[in-house]
Amino acid sequence: MAEAYVLDAVRTPVGRRGGALSGVHSADLGAHAIRAVVERSGVDPSDVDDVILGCTDTLGPQSGNVARTCWLAAGFPQQVPGVTVDRQCGSSQQAVHFAAQAVLSGTMDLVLAGGVQNMSAVPISAAMLAGREYGFEDPFSGSKGWQERYGGVEVSQFRSADMIAGHWDLSREAMEEFALRSHERAVAAVDSGRFDAEIAPFGDFRRDEGPRRDTSLAKMTALKPLSEGSRITAAMASQISDGASATLIASESYVREHGLTPMARIHTIAVRAADPVWMLTGPIPATSYALKRAGLSIEDIDLFEVNEAFASVVLAWLDETGADPAKVNVNGGAIALGHPIGASGTKLFATLLHELARTGGRYGLQTMCEGGGTANVTIVERLG
């Protein structure tokens, strides 16, 4: 049976909006992560069959197939192609899936997957808003088929986060406590050097800018909700961020022929979807589906990375899956560390792999909610 192995996975430190990475061209940002993973793995860059990067809002510095631009900006061989993937927040996790599928199919032996996003330079939803110049208010309202099926209701992550909080009866206090725990875990991880192995410093920029050391429940309680009657505040949402990440997926024959020692193998990949208006509930059915395909139970998983788009998303997922909260986002999540959308999939992938290596765990599971109601799940098995 074919296998897909993970040679290494790296990421930049994550910058806040307007922070250390805000002035870096997206091609140079992605190139930095690409160079780092190639150099650390020791592979010949000319051996790479394809470069697959996640990115959303592909305008300006992120347009024109930014995956290809990043590879070339890294100074690597021109004959290696590239392709850019947009599965919203799960874009670079899907890049990993495409890379694994290429290797498992036997059509490729070495694929670089990753993601890049400079949200300071190109604001979130810029691509959707750009359509207004051409007479399109949003991606949905002009579609007869969409209107017949879903009507004219608001489609937004903020509304979804609030709907989830209401449906699962998640109090504002519970979500604020979760958000505070994310910051506390992230600060502890930074201070203890847990992220050092996965981070490729960008010049003098070496540590994530997002974690707030001075936050508290009192400060969170003082914030106004995003809208009247909402339970959601900015404190329980992921941070707008800049960053890049990359990983290398290799075939068994490539690993053997080059005497490489992989970090892990891809055990299971899956993607499912739920109601696109609810949008952020996809990880719940996707996790169940992936575990069934893997022949594993929730108790078999040693570590989880569940993207903290909002506190309500992870709390609802915990309620439905029965996962142990002590195993979930043990080093904090996007509420504290940030969510550079196109790069977040391989960012979490890097964190999961390196934490498994540090703790000696066997199985790790990663999942992310995504625009349109989709969700990817990746299960990895640590080697060694």
Side-chain angles (χ1 to χ4, degrees), residues 7 41-43 47 250-262:
L7 301 185
S41 301
V43 302
D47 288 345
S251 68
E252 185 173 7
S253 62
Y254 188 89
V255 166
R256 184 176 59 252
E257 290 169 11
H258 293 82
L260 301 173
T261 303

Side-chain angles (χ1 to χ4, degrees), residues 16-227:
R16 284 185 179 180
R17 178 170 54 179
L21 297 178
S22 60
V24 181
H25 192 287
S26 297
D28 296 325
L29 191 55
H32 181 76
I34 287 172
R35 275 194 301 268
V37 78
V38 169
E39 290 169 2
R40 284 171 46 155
S41 301
V43 302
D44 184 338
S46 64
D47 288 345
V48 174
D49 292 305
D50 205 357
V51 176
I52 309 172
L53 294 192
C55 188
T56 68
D57 293 309
T58 51
L59 300 171
Q62 295 174 170
S63 63
N65 190 5
V66 71
R68 171 72 171 158
T69 314
C70 289
W71 177 262
L72 295 176
F76 287 148
Q78 292 185 110
Q79 75 267 20
V80 177
V83 63
T84 304
V85 176
D86 180 355
R87 201 193 279 274
Q88 299 293 281
C89 296
S91 295
S92 55
Q93 187 174 2
Q94 182 60 48
V96 172
H97 286 201
F98 282 151
Q101 287 168 334
V103 167
L104 291 168
S105 71
T107 58
M108 295 185 183
D109 286 306
L110 183 65
V111 184
L112 191 147
V116 62
Q117 201 82 38
N118 188 325
M119 300 177 76
S120 296
V122 183
I124 187 171
S125 300
M128 294 184 183
L129 297 176
R132 292 179 178 176
E133 181 181 348
Y134 304 102
F136 300 98
E137 185 63 24
D138 56 57
F140 316 105
S141 57
S143 166
K144 180 180 178 182
W146 178 278
Q147 294 295 317
E148 289 176 348
R149 186 164 188 179
Y150 297 107
V153 298
E154 176 190 352
V155 180
S156 80
Q157 57 181 321
F158 306 107
R159 181 168 183 263
S160 173
D162 219 21
M163 290 165 63
I164 290 169
H167 181 80
W168 273 272
D169 195 24
L170 302 170
S171 68
R172 175 170 170 169
E173 291 75 19
M175 291 186 282
E176 287 171 339
E177 288 171 0
F178 179 88
L180 179 62
R181 186 160 62 250
S182 182
H183 284 282
E184 290 173 342
R185 287 179 171 181
V187 168
V190 170
D191 289 350
S192 63
R194 290 188 189 179
F195 294 135
D196 291 353
E198 69 194 60
I199 286 179
F202 199 99
D204 294 332
F205 180 40
R206 310 182 69 87
R207 290 188 164 189
D208 300 304
E209 289 183 314
R212 294 186 172 94
R213 296 174 180 274
D214 60 347
T215 195
S216 65
L217 289 178
K219 288 183 177 181
M220 292 182 183
T221 302
L223 294 175
K224 292 182 178 180
L226 297 181
S227 61

Side-chain angles (χ1 to χ4, degrees), residues 157-352:
Q157 57 181 321
F158 306 107
R159 181 168 183 263
S160 173
D162 219 21
M163 290 165 63
I164 290 169
H167 181 80
W168 273 272
D169 195 24
L170 302 170
S171 68
R172 175 170 170 169
E173 291 75 19
M175 291 186 282
E176 287 171 339
E177 288 171 0
F178 179 88
L180 179 62
R181 186 160 62 250
S182 182
H183 284 282
E184 290 173 342
R185 287 179 171 181
V187 168
V190 170
D191 289 350
S192 63
R194 290 188 189 179
F195 294 135
D196 291 353
E198 69 194 60
I199 286 179
F202 199 99
D204 294 332
F205 180 40
R206 310 182 69 87
R207 290 188 164 189
D208 300 304
E209 289 183 314
R212 294 186 172 94
R213 296 174 180 274
D214 60 347
T215 195
S216 65
L217 289 178
K219 288 183 177 181
M220 292 182 183
T221 302
L223 294 175
K224 292 182 178 180
L226 297 181
S227 61
E228 186 176 350
S230 172
R231 304 182 191 189
I232 305 297
T233 71
M236 57 189 75
S238 57
Q239 295 185 42
I240 292 173
S241 310
D242 310 321
S245 50
T247 186
L248 278 165
I249 309 296
S251 68
E252 185 173 7
S253 62
Y254 188 89
V255 166
R256 184 176 59 252
E257 290 169 11
H258 293 82
L260 301 173
T261 303
M263 294 185 72
R265 75 178 185 95
I266 303 291
H267 186 286
T268 302
I269 56 175
V271 61
R272 303 304 287 168
D275 188 312
V277 177
W278 280 80
M279 192 184 299
L280 307 181
T281 59
I284 296 169
T287 298
S288 175
Y289 178 76
L291 288 170
K292 184 177 180 180
R293 285 186 61 86
L296 298 170
S297 70
I298 201 78
E299 291 80 15
D300 291 323
I301 307 300
D302 297 294
L303 290 171
F304 299 89
E305 284 292 331
V306 183
N307 193 42
E308 293 175 0
F310 293 87
S312 59
V313 172
V314 186
L315 288 171
W317 179 89
L318 282 165
D319 186 69
E320 291 294 324
T321 64
D324 182 353
K327 297 180 178 181
V328 179
N329 302 352
V330 296
N331 293 323
I335 289 173
L337 293 162
H339 180 18
I341 297 176
S344 288
T346 32
K347 171 190 175 295
L348 295 188
F349 191 67
T351 297
L352 181 61

